[in-house]
Amino acid sequence: MKKMIVIAVLAAMSVSASAMSYTQAREEALFLSDKMAYELNLTLEQYEAVYEINLDYLMSISVKGDIHGIYWDRRDIDLRYVLDVYQYALYKASKYFYRPVYWKNSHFTFRIYERYVNRNVFYHNRPNGYISYRGGYNKRPYSYYSDKPQAHLGSRLPIVNGAGRYIGGSAGSNKKPKNTVANSQASHNQAGVQPKRSTSAGSKNSHFGGHK
């Protein structure tokens, strides 16, 4: 009996040790969403939604089996509603977006850092949800994004001085970002990678309420 209790305690410790805190999940979701916004050429509305979806996913994984489990499926379903056909194809073809997390040495590992080696480089201001959203949309029985307006038909997000690391501010703010980076491509080229940005202006064949 005592041995079983010890085993149960150790199992609980392994789960809690591998679960992400809200703070860590928020930072990882921000970095991933910023790069998705850049490469997929998202609108402001899409960027907000993608951040929420990524945060929900990261806050829902606790053990290795969660990585490609039901919450990964829910993330993919939600993104099908948010992205247009062209953007979704690019997302699915990019493993660092499509399957952003993998298990290595008993830890969650993020593929996005294999492509973007400088963790201080951002292309856009923070989404408004970075401050206000704390997760939970993916716990609903249906996609929160299934009946939203055609977000992909809005204005494309501007690039912040080519790229920028900012303190404060939000995606909808006109506040000039701080600590901007004049040439982010130099950081990417250190890893021999030149990330490209989609020129898609959005497809009218799918939208926030129909791409399934």
Side-chain angles (χ1 to χ4, degrees):
M1 181 68 180
K2 184 177 180 181
K3 183 177 180 180
M4 291 179 65
I5 294 175
V6 170
I7 292 173
V9 171
L10 290 174
M13 288 175 62
S14 67
V15 170
S16 62
S18 58
M20 259 180 277
S21 66
Y22 166 72
T23 300
Q24 181 188 1
R26 184 172 74 157
E27 294 305 317
E28 299 296 352
L30 176 64
F31 193 89
L32 177 61
S33 302
D34 179 81
K35 305 311 174 288
M36 291 178 69
Y38 172 69
E39 290 198 28
L40 303 182
N41 198 12
L42 302 183
T43 66
L44 172 60
E45 292 83 0
Q46 285 179 311
Y47 182 38
E48 293 284 351
V50 165
Y51 170 78
E52 293 168 352
I53 293 167
N54 285 331
L55 180 64
D56 275 340
Y57 168 65
L58 295 177
M59 289 181 64
S60 299
I61 57 177
S62 299
V63 295
K64 180 181 178 181
D66 292 337
I67 294 176
H68 298 142
I70 59 173
Y71 290 111
W72 180 88
D73 290 336
R74 184 56 179 269
R75 174 180 183 261
D76 187 58
I77 290 171
D78 287 343
L79 287 172
R80 282 174 180 265
Y81 283 114
V82 171
L83 304 177
D84 67 37
V85 173
Y86 181 70
Q87 290 168 329
Y88 182 81
L90 290 178
Y91 145 79
K92 193 171 182 179
S94 304
K95 196 170 185 179
Y96 47 91
F97 291 155
Y98 188 58
R99 297 192 183 275
V101 182
Y102 65 97
W103 190 258
K104 183 178 181 180
N105 298 327
S106 300
H107 289 89
F108 295 120
T109 305
F110 301 89
R111 284 193 173 89
I112 193 65
Y113 298 117
E114 297 170 6
R115 181 166 176 81
Y116 294 89
V117 296
N118 190 335
R119 301 191 180 203
N120 293 319
V121 173
F122 287 78
Y123 290 97
H124 308 290
N125 283 327
R126 293 168 180 161
N128 292 318
Y130 180 82
I131 300 298
S132 61
Y133 184 64
R134 297 189 68 88
Y137 288 158
N138 66 338
K139 302 298 191 296
R140 301 185 179 197
Y142 57 88
S143 175
Y144 173 78
Y145 307 93
S146 63
D147 58 353
K148 298 300 175 184
Q150 299 180 342
H152 73 274
L153 299 180
S155 300
R156 303 291 117 178
L157 276 170
I159 300 296
V160 179
N161 289 346
R165 178 55 173 160
Y166 44 82
I167 300 176
S170 61
S173 172
N174 293 322
K175 183 178 179 180
K176 185 176 180 180
K178 301 178 181 179
N179 298 343
T180 55
V181 180
N183 187 4
S184 66
Q185 293 302 326
S187 299
H188 303 313
N189 289 341
Q190 292 175 2
V193 176
Q194 179 114 2
K196 296 181 180 179
R197 191 182 196 215
S198 165
T199 57
S200 169
S203 166
K204 294 185 179 181
N205 295 325
S206 65
H207 51 79
F208 238 155
H211 180 208
K212 281 285 289 179

